[in-house]
Amino acid sequence: MNSQQTIKNLHDLEFDNQFTREMPADPETENFRRQVSQACYSRVIPTKVSQPQLVSYSKEVADLLDLSTAAVESAEFAEVFAGNQVLEGMDPFAMCYGGHQFGNWAGQLGDGRAINLGEVRNQKGEHWTLQLKGAGPTPYSRTADGLAVLRSSVREFLCSEAMYHLGVPTTRALSLVLTGEQVLRDMFYDGNPEHEPGAVVCRVAPSFLRFGNYQIFASRGEIEPLHKLVDYTIRTDFPELGEPGREVYLRWFEEVCRRTADMIIHWMRVGFVHGVMNTDNMSILGLTIDYGPYGWLEDYDPNWTPNTTDAAGRRYRFGNQPQIALWNLVQLANAIFPLIEDAEPLQKSLDEYVDGFEQGFQQMMAEKLGFSSLQRDTDLPLIEELQQVLQLVETDMTIFFRRLALLKAECEPASDAAELLAPLMDAYYDPAKLTGDVRTKITDWLERYLNRLREEQASDAVRRERMNRVNPKYVLRNYLAQLAIDKAAEGDFSLVNELLELLRRPYDEQPEQEEYAGKRPEWARNRPGCSMLSCSS
Ligand code: AMP
Ligand code: MG
């Protein structure tokens, strides 16, 4: 921060609540479950809790809001960000949206356990919406309680910040606060509910609008509020596109397609599986949103889904994410169709998504492999075959790519397969399986890859440096998050904070933290929370 900026305490925060000021509100202000029509949101106050306690916060997000360390560490901060106190200037509300869940239209969903507090305008003039997740029921809570437990809140808090530092577009997380309440959850949906500590995460994003916010109006034939919402979105979050009108609507949809493709390419780069890509979990800004039963690929398996609810159909498996994003964009196109009344230009943007994704994906893979530019003739087959090579035996995706940078193209070719494979051995879950045909296929690929590297101008050292900027050393491995949760459940938050710190520099070597860069330990292979996650949160 430069010296001209003042550091603020909570009461100095400046709120400029454009959304509630400009968008149609639900006239009902009582907090009971209902269908809400012709409105973008309902005003609702967070539920008071007994004992707010700050567990962790993100320094970078506090900086975005110009908040001082003293402000964040004050007792009042925990009160505000657990939902006990509404600051002057805040205007709390829950948004109305619908969505397709697992491919089926689910009608009205809405912020069932998220309450937007207001929009902070920081000193740079940026708008940041503060949103509490787990701060009590809203008109959109349907049959649920509006609360969140510590387990899922730790996961959301850590992963949002880890993704940001990896360079993946995402909503942010300011704080993780324990509420002091106990929350009943049936974690495995097996009829054995247990009490778990309640928690609230404060999420931060320029906007939390989802595809489902537009879909709900279209599904009800409420074209006027749809129109208003699209115009608002363009004016506030896409001002560079120009004044809203038919042409600008089309450019906007094209831009949403482009941003969505960009986000998915990043997910594929780092091995992130969202787990619940329903249209209500797709941000209009192309941000990763709603960290639920997400997971990180350990062994490279494009068919893997972390979500137990998705286990049968595997709709949201790693390798299917690009197609699902397209399916979701088609639903968004359908929703805004009434403003355009011509399918052709919308289809054109969808086609551009397909092409743009393909090209972006290939470019991203070329960067992961350390090529300074993509030479289609040689590189596309290499990239294609690598997908197969990674699946021959259980291969840790993150370690494999990181270690690939250690191969030497400058030296004499390796004298045998063992020497060639040596830098990569850490990536294999069962090195004993590297025999026969499997071994030959992997080493053949490596030899072709090395030949390709020899055409590069850059030295090994320069290439390694470049590769290390796109192939992270540290990701939020599923079992690491679970270890942090296990400790947190006993009141020890040290690992939450240690992982938060570790994941601020995911591309750097951190020799003292080497243990967190290793393969998933065997005990975690089938442990719930480490390899299988339910939606219960
Ligand atoms: P998700 O699939 O987690 O994004 O949630 C789908 C819908 O269920 C959203 O409308 C959420 O707000 C709502 N929801 C999830 N959990 C709860 C809860 N504990 N209380 C109220 N609503 C919830
Ligand atoms: Mg959601």
Side-chain angles (χ1 to χ4, degrees):
M1 248 185 220
N2 70 42
S3 55
Q4 290 176 340
Q5 287 179 301
T6 38
I7 311 272
K8 297 180 175 175
N9 72 38
L10 286 176
H11 293 275
D12 298 329
L13 287 176
E14 192 187 321
F15 289 95
D16 178 21
N17 303 314
Q18 306 174 100
F19 190 79
T20 50
R21 203 164 57 228
E22 294 179 29
M23 289 296 95
D26 172 9
E28 177 63 66
T29 53
E30 291 297 312
N31 189 0
F32 61 93
R33 273 82 160 168
R34 58 185 176 267
Q35 292 290 308
V36 174
S37 61
Q38 303 282 353
C40 284
Y41 67 93
S42 307
R43 288 197 164 86
V44 60
I45 299 295
T47 301
K48 293 211 176 359
V49 296
S50 58
Q51 258 188 329
Q53 180 198 342
L54 179 67
V55 166
S56 188
Y57 73 93
S58 160
K59 171 88 182 77
E60 289 83 7
V61 181
D63 283 349
L64 280 181
L65 305 174
D66 309 316
L67 277 177
S68 70
T69 306
V72 179
E73 290 175 356
S74 67
E76 192 175 23
F77 181 93
E79 293 287 332
V80 171
F81 292 97
N84 274 1
Q85 193 184 320
V86 175
L87 294 172
E88 201 183 320
M90 286 179 170
D91 187 10
F93 66 97
M95 283 200 263
C96 181
Y97 56 77
H100 281 89
Q101 298 182 314
F102 294 90
N104 304 306
W105 177 244
Q108 179 181 301
L109 297 167
D111 286 330
R113 56 163 167 180
I115 298 179
N116 300 271
L117 295 175
E119 299 169 52
V120 168
R121 185 165 54 202
N122 72 9
Q123 300 193 44
K124 290 188 190 144
E126 298 164 341
H127 268 242
W128 292 102
T129 300
L130 307 181
Q131 183 185 78
L132 301 185
K133 183 166 176 179
T138 75
Y140 307 98
S141 297
R142 297 177 292 153
T143 57
D145 58 11
L147 304 175
V149 293
L150 179 61
R151 155 173 68 82
S152 61
S153 305
V154 166
R155 284 171 52 82
E156 170 128 28
F157 175 75
L158 285 180
C159 203
S160 314
E161 291 308 284
M163 292 283 267
Y164 168 75
H165 293 294
L166 283 165
V168 184
T170 180
T171 61
R172 305 295 301 274
L174 170 66
S175 55
L176 170 62
V177 175
L178 273 172
T179 61
E181 308 292 331
Q182 293 293 307
V183 175
L184 200 59
R185 281 290 178 272
D186 187 356
M187 183 157 128
F188 302 112
Y189 300 124
D190 62 359
N192 292 305
E194 283 183 23
H195 279 104
E196 298 185 47
V200 174
V201 169
C202 178
R203 309 197 287 195
V204 177
S207 158
F208 287 94
L209 285 166
R210 304 139 188 273
F211 291 7
N213 289 83
Y214 308 86
Q215 288 184 283
I216 190 73
F217 290 130
S219 77
R220 290 167 168 167
E222 297 175 0
I223 306 307
E224 198 188 318
L226 172 68
H227 221 127
K228 276 193 182 146
L229 182 61
V230 171
D231 287 0
Y232 173 86
T233 308
I234 293 170
R235 286 202 182 102
T236 52
D237 291 310
F238 298 81
E240 65 284 0
L241 298 179
E243 258 306 286
R246 193 173 172 283
E247 279 312 304
V248 170
Y249 296 152
L250 290 172
R251 284 216 289 277
W252 170 65
F253 182 66
E254 193 184 329
E255 176 64 11
V256 176
C257 290
R258 202 191 55 71
R259 288 193 194 190
T260 303
D262 182 57
M263 173 184 79
I264 304 284
I265 289 165
H266 279 290
W267 290 2
M268 306 310 277
R269 173 173 67 83
V270 298
F272 177 78
V273 194
H274 184 285
V276 214
M277 290 177 70
N278 293 333
T279 57
D280 52 304
N281 291 337
M282 296 292 292
S283 140
I284 202 71
L285 300 184
L287 306 173
T288 313
I289 191 172
D290 277 12
Y291 291 90
Y294 67 82
W296 293 81
L297 275 197
E298 283 151 346
D299 57 296
Y300 185 83
D301 175 5
N303 288 319
W304 185 65
T305 175
N307 184 354
T308 49
T309 312
D310 189 35
R314 295 186 182 267
R315 180 180 173 85
Y316 298 141
R317 64 189 183 273
F318 178 70
N320 208 31
Q321 298 187 118
Q323 283 70 38
I324 291 295
L326 174 62
W327 192 91
N328 289 340
L329 286 164
V330 171
Q331 308 316 314
L332 179 63
N334 287 336
I336 63 169
F337 180 79
L339 307 188
I340 293 167
E341 292 185 329
D342 181 4
E344 203 186 307
L346 291 168
Q347 185 58 50
K348 190 163 156 278
S349 291
L350 294 167
D351 295 342
E352 280 169 18
Y353 166 89
V354 175
D355 292 346
F357 176 83
E358 175 104 336
Q359 282 174 27
F361 179 83
Q362 291 165 352
Q363 182 58 37
M364 175 275 282
M365 287 303 294
E367 286 168 25
K368 278 181 88 68
L369 292 174
F371 305 152
S372 51
S373 65
L374 180 78
Q375 295 175 15
R376 303 186 69 84
D377 293 352
T378 50
D379 299 352
L380 294 184
L382 267 176
I383 290 169
E384 184 67 28
E385 282 155 41
L386 177 59
Q387 307 280 327
Q388 309 308 318
V389 163
L390 287 170
Q391 292 174 70
L392 292 170
V393 284
E394 232 183 316
T395 312
D396 191 277
M397 175 183 172
T398 306
I399 301 175
F400 182 89
F401 280 102
R402 186 74 181 188
R403 294 232 130 209
L404 206 54
L406 295 175
L407 293 194
K408 295 193 172 82
E410 284 165 352
C411 310
E412 285 296 298
S415 56
D416 60 18
E419 193 184 329
L420 189 59
L421 279 168
L424 298 168
M425 289 310 279
D426 277 353
Y428 293 106
Y429 279 87
D430 187 357
K433 292 208 172 119
L434 290 171
T435 54
D437 201 27
V438 165
R439 192 179 181 89
T440 313
K441 281 188 175 145
I442 299 175
T443 50
D444 280 357
W445 185 88
L446 287 172
E447 269 162 12
R448 288 176 48 217
Y449 171 60
L450 276 166
N451 283 336
R452 167 66 179 84
L453 289 184
R454 291 192 183 100
E455 292 166 25
E456 289 283 316
Q457 300 291 319
S459 66
D460 283 345
V462 167
R463 188 190 70 249
R464 181 175 316 144
E465 171 70 19
R466 217 165 48 203
M467 289 172 76
N468 284 353
R469 272 182 269 137
V470 290
N471 295 319
K473 170 111 178 182
Y474 298 100
V475 295
L476 183 59
R477 289 176 178 272
N478 311 311
Y479 86 93
L480 289 177
Q482 188 57 42
L483 286 178
I485 290 164
D486 291 345
K487 276 198 171 180
E490 290 165 8
D492 175 357
F493 304 108
S494 58
L495 194 51
V496 172
N497 285 304
E498 201 179 326
L499 292 179
L500 180 67
E501 185 60 29
L502 173 82
L503 297 167
R504 291 174 75 211
R505 294 183 294 124
Y507 299 103
D508 289 3
E509 292 293 327
Q510 301 184 46
E512 67 292 356
Q513 305 283 32
E514 201 62 32
E515 59 175 315
Y516 297 136
K519 288 189 282 267
R520 170 201 61 215
E522 262 320 290
W523 61 259
R525 181 181 288 273
N526 294 313
R527 211 194 121 177
C530 298
S531 56
M532 296 170 285
L533 291 135
S534 76
C535 285
S536 157
S537 57

